[in-house]
Amino acid sequence: MAKNSTTAIVRQQVGPRQVDFKMPMRGGGGGGGGVQAGDWVENLLAGGTASTLSKIILQPFDTSKTLLQAVGELRGRYAGNLSQCMVKLVKERGLGGLYTGFLASIAVSAPSSAVFAVGYEFSKNALESTPLHQFAPVLAAALGNVTASIVRVPPEVIKQRVQAAVYKNVFEATSQVWAKEGIQGFYCGYSSMIARDIPYSAVQFTVFEMLKKLRSQRLQKEGGQQAVKSGKHMANDLWMGAVAGAVASSLTNPLDVVKTRVMTQTRGGNVVHGGLRSIAKQIWMEEGLKGFGRGILARVLYKVPASAVFLVCYEAMKRILRSARRARQQLKALPEESAKSRVHNEALASGKHFLLPEA
């Protein structure tokens, strides 16, 4: 028997016999909203590819942000504004200094974003058919981040400590963290990262989904999807991603400062572990409101284009992969279509034919 969700039966009368043909159905059919196996692969590849591309382009801003947000002992001569920090980095470390921690950054971005994308899409699809559908982007982003942080935090700890010059390179940082702190050291700042990433992604994807919905409504009023098929599609995704990134990064910068301090806190040259509350209290007591705003320009300049590039690549990769999957399905269906056509022609020649679609 054919599965009704993926095929339909076309029954034809050929002479004295009835012949059934399996015909593939396009789309999901009856609105079950389930995530197919192909969707998991597509979301995984789309998320990983999009994040890697954005990191390659925007790593210098991330390195500068980490230095500007670090404690005074580490910030040292890099204190100042964004341009001063970047100039000093290039003078002292060369152009490669702007890409300090890049290897760890890539190790963070691709797998964690891929896991996040899968968790986000799966949760959103599941929630959209429930009474919580209005909160689907927020809840899906939260679940995606909790899952992704399991693989995101260890490389992030290594990356930030290398960027803040606690260690010279990724390999030294990895060996020293393992020797001195054990597995706990790699998950230093897990709670602070969750506290930052859940609201960031919730705001980012809520704004992005809202803008997508408004665009879709506008296109329907204008009479169809013509604009979607043009080059305007990517341009629209770009500015919507930029707006989403600007709003999310600005609102969550204080949490990002706390996360950076938790992961890079040192005393007398030694790494010390501080809790989320104690670090936040320390920043407030020693630096006031200004402390929570450290690195905001670098973060916005990094996150706005990063968000735009990520979301554009993510949407584009999903479209490319889905188109490829549809093409494979159509090619696979060609032999069945050809067989159906031959029997149909024979039926026409005999003067007896009718179609009975399966109920």
Side-chain angles (χ1 to χ4, degrees), residues 48-97:
T49 303
S51 184
T52 300
L53 289 173
S54 66
K55 287 289 183 183
I56 291 172
I57 297 169
L58 301 163
Q59 178 69 17
F61 291 110
D62 185 51
T63 302
S64 302
K65 175 193 74 70
T66 299
L67 283 169
L68 291 170
Q69 290 182 342
V71 293
E73 182 180 344
L74 297 176
R75 195 164 60 244
R77 58 188 177 278
Y78 296 108
N81 58 38
L82 174 61
S83 60
Q84 291 171 335
C85 179
M86 296 183 81
V87 168
K88 287 178 182 177
L89 266 173
V90 173
K91 283 183 177 179
E92 296 184 7
R93 305 185 193 179
L95 286 174

mmCIF file of all heavy atoms in Angstrom, residues 48-97:
data_model
loop_
_atom_site.group_PDB
_atom_site.id
_atom_site.type_symbol
_atom_site.label_atom_id
_atom_site.label_comp_id
_atom_site.label_asym_id
_atom_site.label_seq_id
_atom_site.Cartn_x
_atom_site.Cartn_y
_atom_site.Cartn_z
ATOM 1 N N GLY A 48 24.704 25.681 9.380
ATOM 2 C CA GLY A 48 26.156 25.612 9.446
ATOM 3 C C GLY A 48 26.835 26.476 8.402
ATOM 4 O O GLY A 48 27.789 27.199 8.699
ATOM 5 N N THR A 49 26.350 26.432 7.168
ATOM 6 C CA THR A 49 26.941 27.221 6.084
ATOM 7 C C THR A 49 26.776 28.718 6.323
ATOM 8 O O THR A 49 27.718 29.502 6.166
ATOM 9 C CB THR A 49 26.295 26.853 4.735
ATOM 10 O OG1 THR A 49 26.451 25.464 4.508
ATOM 11 C CG2 THR A 49 26.938 27.638 3.595
ATOM 12 N N ALA A 50 25.578 29.116 6.733
ATOM 13 C CA ALA A 50 25.302 30.534 6.960
ATOM 14 C C ALA A 50 26.195 31.101 8.056
ATOM 15 O O ALA A 50 26.764 32.193 7.929
ATOM 16 C CB ALA A 50 23.829 30.718 7.336
ATOM 17 N N SER A 51 26.346 30.370 9.155
ATOM 18 C CA SER A 51 27.147 30.861 10.270
ATOM 19 C C SER A 51 28.624 30.941 9.910
ATOM 20 O O SER A 51 29.312 31.909 10.271
ATOM 21 C CB SER A 51 26.947 29.946 11.482
ATOM 22 O OG SER A 51 27.638 30.458 12.597
ATOM 23 N N THR A 52 29.136 29.962 9.185
ATOM 24 C CA THR A 52 30.543 29.966 8.797
ATOM 25 C C THR A 52 30.864 31.169 7.912
ATOM 26 O O THR A 52 31.878 31.850 8.112
ATOM 27 C CB THR A 52 30.903 28.667 8.059
ATOM 28 O OG1 THR A 52 30.657 27.552 8.921
ATOM 29 C CG2 THR A 52 32.364 28.665 7.645
ATOM 30 N N LEU A 53 30.019 31.454 6.938
ATOM 31 C CA LEU A 53 30.243 32.599 6.045
ATOM 32 C C LEU A 53 30.239 33.917 6.811
ATOM 33 O O LEU A 53 31.064 34.795 6.568
ATOM 34 C CB LEU A 53 29.179 32.620 4.948
ATOM 35 C CG LEU A 53 29.281 31.527 3.887
ATOM 36 C CD1 LEU A 53 28.078 31.565 2.957
ATOM 37 C CD2 LEU A 53 30.576 31.653 3.095
ATOM 38 N N SER A 54 29.304 34.062 7.745
ATOM 39 C CA SER A 54 29.229 35.308 8.507
ATOM 40 C C SER A 54 30.454 35.480 9.398
ATOM 41 O O SER A 54 30.951 36.589 9.589
ATOM 42 C CB SER A 54 27.944 35.351 9.341
ATOM 43 O OG SER A 54 27.955 34.356 10.346
ATOM 44 N N LYS A 55 30.992 34.382 9.945
ATOM 45 C CA LYS A 55 32.190 34.466 10.794
ATOM 46 C C LYS A 55 33.406 34.900 9.987
ATOM 47 O O LYS A 55 34.220 35.704 10.444
ATOM 48 C CB LYS A 55 32.461 33.107 11.448
ATOM 49 C CG LYS A 55 31.495 32.734 12.555
ATOM 50 C CD LYS A 55 31.697 33.570 13.792
ATOM 51 C CE LYS A 55 30.770 33.123 14.914
ATOM 52 N NZ LYS A 55 30.900 33.986 16.105
ATOM 53 N N ILE A 56 33.555 34.365 8.795
ATOM 54 C CA ILE A 56 34.701 34.714 7.953
ATOM 55 C C ILE A 56 34.725 36.213 7.663
ATOM 56 O O ILE A 56 35.764 36.865 7.705
ATOM 57 C CB ILE A 56 34.665 33.915 6.637
ATOM 58 C CG1 ILE A 56 34.929 32.427 6.920
ATOM 59 C CG2 ILE A 56 35.691 34.452 5.636
ATOM 60 C CD1 ILE A 56 34.720 31.529 5.726
ATOM 61 N N ILE A 57 33.559 36.766 7.407
ATOM 62 C CA ILE A 57 33.466 38.176 7.039
ATOM 63 C C ILE A 57 33.648 39.097 8.243
ATOM 64 O O ILE A 57 34.267 40.158 8.155
ATOM 65 C CB ILE A 57 32.107 38.459 6.364
ATOM 66 C CG1 ILE A 57 31.992 37.655 5.055
ATOM 67 C CG2 ILE A 57 31.918 39.949 6.092
ATOM 68 C CD1 ILE A 57 30.605 37.652 4.463
ATOM 69 N N LEU A 58 33.158 38.700 9.409
ATOM 70 C CA LEU A 58 32.989 39.645 10.515
ATOM 71 C C LEU A 58 33.810 39.345 11.764
ATOM 72 O O LEU A 58 33.626 39.984 12.788
ATOM 73 C CB LEU A 58 31.505 39.704 10.892
ATOM 74 C CG LEU A 58 30.596 40.132 9.740
ATOM 75 C CD1 LEU A 58 29.152 39.785 10.041
ATOM 76 C CD2 LEU A 58 30.734 41.620 9.475
ATOM 77 N N GLN A 59 34.746 38.417 11.683
ATOM 78 C CA GLN A 59 35.558 38.052 12.853
ATOM 79 C C GLN A 59 36.291 39.239 13.495
ATOM 80 O O GLN A 59 36.385 39.311 14.723
ATOM 81 C CB GLN A 59 36.561 36.969 12.466
ATOM 82 C CG GLN A 59 37.497 36.522 13.579
ATOM 83 C CD GLN A 59 36.802 35.751 14.679
ATOM 84 O OE1 GLN A 59 35.691 35.273 14.496
ATOM 85 N NE2 GLN A 59 37.454 35.634 15.827
ATOM 86 N N PRO A 60 36.851 40.200 12.720
ATOM 87 C CA PRO A 60 37.568 41.315 13.359
ATOM 88 C C PRO A 60 36.733 42.084 14.378
ATOM 89 O O PRO A 60 37.257 42.516 15.413
ATOM 90 C CB PRO A 60 37.939 42.209 12.163
ATOM 91 C CG PRO A 60 38.071 41.252 11.023
ATOM 92 C CD PRO A 60 36.985 40.240 11.241
ATOM 93 N N PHE A 61 35.440 42.270 14.117
ATOM 94 C CA PHE A 61 34.588 42.980 15.068
ATOM 95 C C PHE A 61 34.382 42.155 16.340
ATOM 96 O O PHE A 61 34.295 42.697 17.439
ATOM 97 C CB PHE A 61 33.230 43.304 14.430
ATOM 98 C CG PHE A 61 33.304 44.325 13.341
ATOM 99 C CD1 PHE A 61 33.104 43.972 12.027
ATOM 100 C CD2 PHE A 61 33.586 45.654 13.630
ATOM 101 C CE1 PHE A 61 33.182 44.910 11.008
ATOM 102 C CE2 PHE A 61 33.661 46.605 12.622
ATOM 103 C CZ PHE A 61 33.464 46.232 11.317
ATOM 104 N N ASP A 62 34.316 40.850 16.195
ATOM 105 C CA ASP A 62 34.131 39.989 17.361
ATOM 106 C C ASP A 62 35.365 40.015 18.257
ATOM 107 O O ASP A 62 35.250 40.072 19.491
ATOM 108 C CB ASP A 62 33.837 38.557 16.888
ATOM 109 C CG ASP A 62 33.510 37.633 18.045
ATOM 110 O OD1 ASP A 62 32.642 37.990 18.867
ATOM 111 O OD2 ASP A 62 34.118 36.550 18.153
ATOM 112 N N THR A 63 36.550 39.984 17.654
ATOM 113 C CA THR A 63 37.791 40.056 18.433
ATOM 114 C C THR A 63 37.873 41.375 19.195
ATOM 115 O O THR A 63 38.203 41.392 20.395
ATOM 116 C CB THR A 63 39.010 39.922 17.500
ATOM 117 O OG1 THR A 63 38.922 38.689 16.779
ATOM 118 C CG2 THR A 63 40.309 39.964 18.283
ATOM 119 N N SER A 64 37.565 42.473 18.525
ATOM 120 C CA SER A 64 37.605 43.789 19.171
ATOM 121 C C SER A 64 36.586 43.887 20.299
ATOM 122 O O SER A 64 36.865 44.445 21.368
ATOM 123 C CB SER A 64 37.335 44.888 18.133
ATOM 124 O OG SER A 64 38.271 44.829 17.083
ATOM 125 N N LYS A 65 35.413 43.345 20.084
ATOM 126 C CA LYS A 65 34.356 43.372 21.102
ATOM 127 C C LYS A 65 34.801 42.659 22.377
ATOM 128 O O LYS A 65 34.600 43.165 23.490
ATOM 129 C CB LYS A 65 33.096 42.718 20.556
ATOM 130 C CG LYS A 65 31.968 42.581 21.575
ATOM 131 C CD LYS A 65 30.875 41.670 21.087
ATOM 132 C CE LYS A 65 31.283 40.223 21.137
ATOM 133 N NZ LYS A 65 31.409 39.698 22.527
ATOM 134 N N THR A 66 35.419 41.499 22.225
ATOM 135 C CA THR A 66 35.866 40.743 23.394
ATOM 136 C C THR A 66 36.878 41.527 24.207
ATOM 137 O O THR A 66 36.800 41.583 25.446
ATOM 138 C CB THR A 66 36.484 39.397 22.954
ATOM 139 O OG1 THR A 66 35.489 38.627 22.272
ATOM 140 C CG2 THR A 66 36.988 38.601 24.157
ATOM 141 N N LEU A 67 37.829 42.158 23.533
ATOM 142 C CA LEU A 67 38.840 42.954 24.238
ATOM 143 C C LEU A 67 38.222 44.151 24.950
ATOM 144 O O LEU A 67 38.583 44.469 26.084
ATOM 145 C CB LEU A 67 39.909 43.429 23.249
ATOM 146 C CG LEU A 67 40.935 42.367 22.830
ATOM 147 C CD1 LEU A 67 41.758 42.859 21.654
ATOM 148 C CD2 LEU A 67 41.852 42.023 24.007
ATOM 149 N N LEU A 68 37.300 44.823 24.299
ATOM 150 C CA LEU A 68 36.676 46.003 24.898
ATOM 151 C C LEU A 68 35.801 45.648 26.098
ATOM 152 O O LEU A 68 35.614 46.465 27.001
ATOM 153 C CB LEU A 68 35.842 46.750 23.843
ATOM 154 C CG LEU A 68 36.644 47.443 22.738
ATOM 155 C CD1 LEU A 68 35.706 47.922 21.634
ATOM 156 C CD2 LEU A 68 37.429 48.622 23.304
ATOM 157 N N GLN A 69 35.252 44.433 26.113
ATOM 158 C CA GLN A 69 34.366 44.026 27.202
ATOM 159 C C GLN A 69 35.097 43.361 28.354
ATOM 160 O O GLN A 69 34.538 43.207 29.437
ATOM 161 C CB GLN A 69 33.299 43.063 26.670
ATOM 162 C CG GLN A 69 32.266 43.699 25.767
ATOM 163 C CD GLN A 69 31.215 42.724 25.296
ATOM 164 O OE1 GLN A 69 31.408 41.509 25.355
ATOM 165 N NE2 GLN A 69 30.104 43.232 24.808
ATOM 166 N N ALA A 70 36.353 42.956 28.142
ATOM 167 C CA ALA A 70 37.091 42.211 29.165
ATOM 168 C C ALA A 70 37.401 43.096 30.366
ATOM 169 O O ALA A 70 37.279 44.333 30.325
ATOM 170 C CB ALA A 70 38.379 41.648 28.569
ATOM 171 N N VAL A 71 37.820 42.479 31.468
ATOM 172 C CA VAL A 71 38.184 43.229 32.679
ATOM 173 C C VAL A 71 39.386 44.108 32.380
ATOM 174 O O VAL A 71 40.151 43.866 31.439
ATOM 175 C CB VAL A 71 38.507 42.268 33.847
ATOM 176 C CG1 VAL A 71 37.264 41.517 34.278
ATOM 177 C CG2 VAL A 71 39.615 41.310 33.462
ATOM 178 N N GLY A 72 39.575 45.154 33.202
ATOM 179 C CA GLY A 72 40.645 46.111 32.966
ATOM 180 C C GLY A 72 42.019 45.481 32.860
ATOM 181 O O GLY A 72 42.868 45.916 32.079
ATOM 182 N N GLU A 73 42.267 44.433 33.646
ATOM 183 C CA GLU A 73 43.555 43.748 33.622
ATOM 184 C C GLU A 73 43.876 43.191 32.242
ATOM 185 O O GLU A 73 45.033 43.197 31.808
ATOM 186 C CB GLU A 73 43.540 42.611 34.649
ATOM 187 C CG GLU A 73 44.850 41.852 34.763
ATOM 188 C CD GLU A 73 44.770 40.727 35.797
ATOM 189 O OE1 GLU A 73 43.836 40.728 36.612
ATOM 190 O OE2 GLU A 73 45.657 39.854 35.761
ATOM 191 N N LEU A 74 42.872 42.724 31.546
ATOM 192 C CA LEU A 74 43.067 42.180 30.200
ATOM 193 C C LEU A 74 42.893 43.244 29.128
ATOM 194 O O LEU A 74 43.537 43.191 28.078
ATOM 195 C CB LEU A 74 42.073 41.041 29.956
ATOM 196 C CG LEU A 74 42.210 39.805 30.854
ATOM 197 C CD1 LEU A 74 41.091 38.814 30.564
ATOM 198 C CD2 LEU A 74 43.569 39.137 30.640
ATOM 199 N N ARG A 75 41.969 44.175 29.392
ATOM 200 C CA ARG A 75 41.678 45.210 28.402
ATOM 201 C C ARG A 75 42.906 46.082 28.201
ATOM 202 O O ARG A 75 43.295 46.396 27.083
ATOM 203 C CB ARG A 75 40.478 46.035 28.880
ATOM 204 C CG ARG A 75 39.863 46.901 27.812
ATOM 205 C CD ARG A 75 38.482 47.366 28.224
ATOM 206 N NE ARG A 75 38.492 48.140 29.456
ATOM 207 C CZ ARG A 75 37.908 47.771 30.586
ATOM 208 N NH1 ARG A 75 37.295 46.605 30.656
ATOM 209 N NH2 ARG A 75 37.957 48.528 31.657
ATOM 210 N N GLY A 76 43.530 46.494 29.285
ATOM 211 C CA GLY A 76 44.791 47.228 29.292
ATOM 212 C C GLY A 76 44.909 48.272 28.205
ATOM 213 O O GLY A 76 44.105 49.196 28.092
ATOM 214 N N ARG A 77 45.901 48.107 27.365
ATOM 215 C CA ARG A 77 46.214 49.096 26.324
ATOM 216 C C ARG A 77 45.192 49.126 25.193
ATOM 217 O O ARG A 77 45.252 50.008 24.342
ATOM 218 C CB ARG A 77 47.604 48.832 25.760
ATOM 219 C CG ARG A 77 47.785 47.452 25.165
ATOM 220 C CD ARG A 77 49.253 47.196 24.806
ATOM 221 N NE ARG A 77 49.467 45.851 24.299
ATOM 222 C CZ ARG A 77 49.623 44.779 25.063
ATOM 223 N NH1 ARG A 77 49.529 44.904 26.384
ATOM 224 N NH2 ARG A 77 49.858 43.603 24.538
ATOM 225 N N TYR A 78 44.298 48.151 25.173
ATOM 226 C CA TYR A 78 43.273 48.140 24.123
ATOM 227 C C TYR A 78 42.033 48.939 24.521
ATOM 228 O O TYR A 78 41.065 48.989 23.781
ATOM 229 C CB TYR A 78 42.868 46.699 23.792
ATOM 230 C CG TYR A 78 44.014 45.892 23.218
ATOM 231 C CD1 TYR A 78 44.624 44.900 23.987
ATOM 232 C CD2 TYR A 78 44.496 46.131 21.943
ATOM 233 C CE1 TYR A 78 45.691 44.161 23.481
ATOM 234 C CE2 TYR A 78 45.558 45.397 21.427
ATOM 235 C CZ TYR A 78 46.143 44.415 22.202
ATOM 236 O OH TYR A 78 47.193 43.682 21.707
ATOM 237 N N ALA A 79 42.060 49.519 25.726
ATOM 238 C CA ALA A 79 40.921 50.330 26.166
ATOM 239 C C ALA A 79 40.777 51.535 25.248
ATOM 240 O O ALA A 79 41.747 52.088 24.747
ATOM 241 C CB ALA A 79 41.122 50.776 27.617
ATOM 242 N N GLY A 80 39.565 51.955 25.050
ATOM 243 C CA GLY A 80 39.279 53.077 24.155
ATOM 244 C C GLY A 80 38.079 52.745 23.303
ATOM 245 O O GLY A 80 37.257 51.900 23.667
ATOM 246 N N ASN A 81 37.982 53.385 22.161
ATOM 247 C CA ASN A 81 36.852 53.089 21.281
ATOM 248 C C ASN A 81 37.212 51.971 20.298
ATOM 249 O O ASN A 81 38.331 51.458 20.292
ATOM 250 C CB ASN A 81 36.386 54.356 20.548
ATOM 251 C CG ASN A 81 37.495 54.992 19.715
ATOM 252 O OD1 ASN A 81 38.294 54.285 19.105
ATOM 253 N ND2 ASN A 81 37.555 56.321 19.692
ATOM 254 N N LEU A 82 36.260 51.636 19.461
ATOM 255 C CA LEU A 82 36.429 50.510 18.549
ATOM 256 C C LEU A 82 37.585 50.720 17.580
ATOM 257 O O LEU A 82 38.418 49.824 17.386
ATOM 258 C CB LEU A 82 35.126 50.278 17.778
ATOM 259 C CG LEU A 82 35.161 49.217 16.681
ATOM 260 C CD1 LEU A 82 35.497 47.843 17.258
ATOM 261 C CD2 LEU A 82 33.832 49.175 15.944
ATOM 262 N N SER A 83 37.655 51.883 16.960
ATOM 263 C CA SER A 83 38.709 52.123 15.966
ATOM 264 C C SER A 83 40.087 52.084 16.603
ATOM 265 O O SER A 83 41.041 51.523 16.025
ATOM 266 C CB SER A 83 38.479 53.474 15.276
ATOM 267 O OG SER A 83 38.501 54.534 16.217
ATOM 268 N N GLN A 84 40.245 52.645 17.816
ATOM 269 C CA GLN A 84 41.532 52.616 18.501
ATOM 270 C C GLN A 84 41.948 51.180 18.824
ATOM 271 O O GLN A 84 43.116 50.809 18.682
ATOM 272 C CB GLN A 84 41.452 53.438 19.791
ATOM 273 C CG GLN A 84 41.324 54.935 19.553
ATOM 274 C CD GLN A 84 41.037 55.695 20.835
ATOM 275 O OE1 GLN A 84 40.494 55.146 21.803
ATOM 276 N NE2 GLN A 84 41.381 56.979 20.863
ATOM 277 N N CYS A 85 40.978 50.399 19.248
ATOM 278 C CA CYS A 85 41.255 49.003 19.579
ATOM 279 C C CYS A 85 41.728 48.234 18.352
ATOM 280 O O CYS A 85 42.718 47.487 18.415
ATOM 281 C CB CYS A 85 40.000 48.357 20.160
ATOM 282 S SG CYS A 85 40.189 46.615 20.581
ATOM 283 N N MET A 86 41.058 48.426 17.224
ATOM 284 C CA MET A 86 41.418 47.694 16.005
ATOM 285 C C MET A 86 42.776 48.133 15.479
ATOM 286 O O MET A 86 43.565 47.304 15.011
ATOM 287 C CB MET A 86 40.330 47.892 14.946
ATOM 288 C CG MET A 86 38.983 47.300 15.342
ATOM 289 S SD MET A 86 37.701 47.461 14.067
ATOM 290 C CE MET A 86 38.130 46.094 12.984
ATOM 291 N N VAL A 87 43.081 49.427 15.559
ATOM 292 C CA VAL A 87 44.381 49.939 15.096
ATOM 293 C C VAL A 87 45.508 49.343 15.941
ATOM 294 O O VAL A 87 46.542 48.902 15.410
ATOM 295 C CB VAL A 87 44.414 51.476 15.146
ATOM 296 C CG1 VAL A 87 45.838 51.989 14.949
ATOM 297 C CG2 VAL A 87 43.507 52.057 14.063
ATOM 298 N N LYS A 88 45.308 49.306 17.271
ATOM 299 C CA LYS A 88 46.337 48.747 18.151
ATOM 300 C C LYS A 88 46.523 47.257 17.916
ATOM 301 O O LYS A 88 47.642 46.739 17.978
ATOM 302 C CB LYS A 88 45.964 49.013 19.612
ATOM 303 C CG LYS A 88 46.131 50.465 20.021
ATOM 304 C CD LYS A 88 45.714 50.696 21.466
ATOM 305 C CE LYS A 88 45.856 52.168 21.836
ATOM 306 N NZ LYS A 88 45.385 52.442 23.218
ATOM 307 N N LEU A 89 45.431 46.565 17.630
ATOM 308 C CA LEU A 89 45.521 45.136 17.328
ATOM 309 C C LEU A 89 46.382 44.892 16.098
ATOM 310 O O LEU A 89 47.249 44.013 16.093
ATOM 311 C CB LEU A 89 44.119 44.565 17.097
ATOM 312 C CG LEU A 89 43.403 43.930 18.273
ATOM 313 C CD1 LEU A 89 41.957 43.580 17.892
ATOM 314 C CD2 LEU A 89 44.125 42.674 18.739
ATOM 315 N N VAL A 90 46.156 45.683 15.053
ATOM 316 C CA VAL A 90 46.917 45.519 13.807
ATOM 317 C C VAL A 90 48.386 45.883 14.020
ATOM 318 O O VAL A 90 49.295 45.198 13.533
ATOM 319 C CB VAL A 90 46.307 46.376 12.676
ATOM 320 C CG1 VAL A 90 47.186 46.342 11.441
ATOM 321 C CG2 VAL A 90 44.908 45.876 12.337
ATOM 322 N N LYS A 91 48.647 46.955 14.782
ATOM 323 C CA LYS A 91 50.030 47.382 15.026
ATOM 324 C C LYS A 91 50.811 46.329 15.804
ATOM 325 O O LYS A 91 51.986 46.077 15.529
ATOM 326 C CB LYS A 91 50.032 48.707 15.804
ATOM 327 C CG LYS A 91 49.720 49.928 14.955
ATOM 328 C CD LYS A 91 49.815 51.199 15.789
ATOM 329 C CE LYS A 91 49.577 52.437 14.922
ATOM 330 N NZ LYS A 91 49.653 53.684 15.727
ATOM 331 N N GLU A 92 50.176 45.726 16.807
ATOM 332 C CA GLU A 92 50.883 44.807 17.697
ATOM 333 C C GLU A 92 50.859 43.351 17.222
ATOM 334 O O GLU A 92 51.803 42.605 17.489
ATOM 335 C CB GLU A 92 50.295 44.890 19.107
ATOM 336 C CG GLU A 92 50.492 46.250 19.745
ATOM 337 C CD GLU A 92 50.002 46.291 21.178
ATOM 338 O OE1 GLU A 92 49.637 45.231 21.723
ATOM 339 O OE2 GLU A 92 49.997 47.394 21.765
ATOM 340 N N ARG A 93 49.793 42.953 16.537
ATOM 341 C CA ARG A 93 49.672 41.553 16.138
ATOM 342 C C ARG A 93 49.604 41.349 14.623
ATOM 343 O O ARG A 93 49.556 40.212 14.153
ATOM 344 C CB ARG A 93 48.411 40.939 16.757
ATOM 345 C CG ARG A 93 48.310 41.068 18.265
ATOM 346 C CD ARG A 93 47.074 40.318 18.775
ATOM 347 N NE ARG A 93 46.753 40.644 20.152
ATOM 348 C CZ ARG A 93 45.706 40.140 20.819
ATOM 349 N NH1 ARG A 93 44.896 39.266 20.203
ATOM 350 N NH2 ARG A 93 45.462 40.475 22.064
ATOM 351 N N GLY A 94 49.602 42.457 13.879
ATOM 352 C CA GLY A 94 49.442 42.348 12.440
ATOM 353 C C GLY A 94 47.975 42.141 12.077
ATOM 354 O O GLY A 94 47.093 42.088 12.951
ATOM 355 N N LEU A 95 47.705 42.035 10.780
ATOM 356 C CA LEU A 95 46.326 41.838 10.334
ATOM 357 C C LEU A 95 45.727 40.556 10.901
ATOM 358 O O LEU A 95 44.526 40.467 11.156
ATOM 359 C CB LEU A 95 46.262 41.802 8.802
ATOM 360 C CG LEU A 95 46.436 43.139 8.078
ATOM 361 C CD1 LEU A 95 46.489 42.919 6.568
ATOM 362 C CD2 LEU A 95 45.295 44.091 8.435
ATOM 363 N N GLY A 96 46.593 39.572 11.123
ATOM 364 C CA GLY A 96 46.115 38.322 11.704
ATOM 365 C C GLY A 96 45.559 38.498 13.107
ATOM 366 O O GLY A 96 44.766 37.670 13.571
ATOM 367 N N GLY A 97 45.962 39.584 13.773
ATOM 368 C CA GLY A 97 45.457 39.852 15.111
ATOM 369 C C GLY A 97 43.957 40.066 15.145
ATOM 370 O O GLY A 97 43.300 39.771 16.157
#
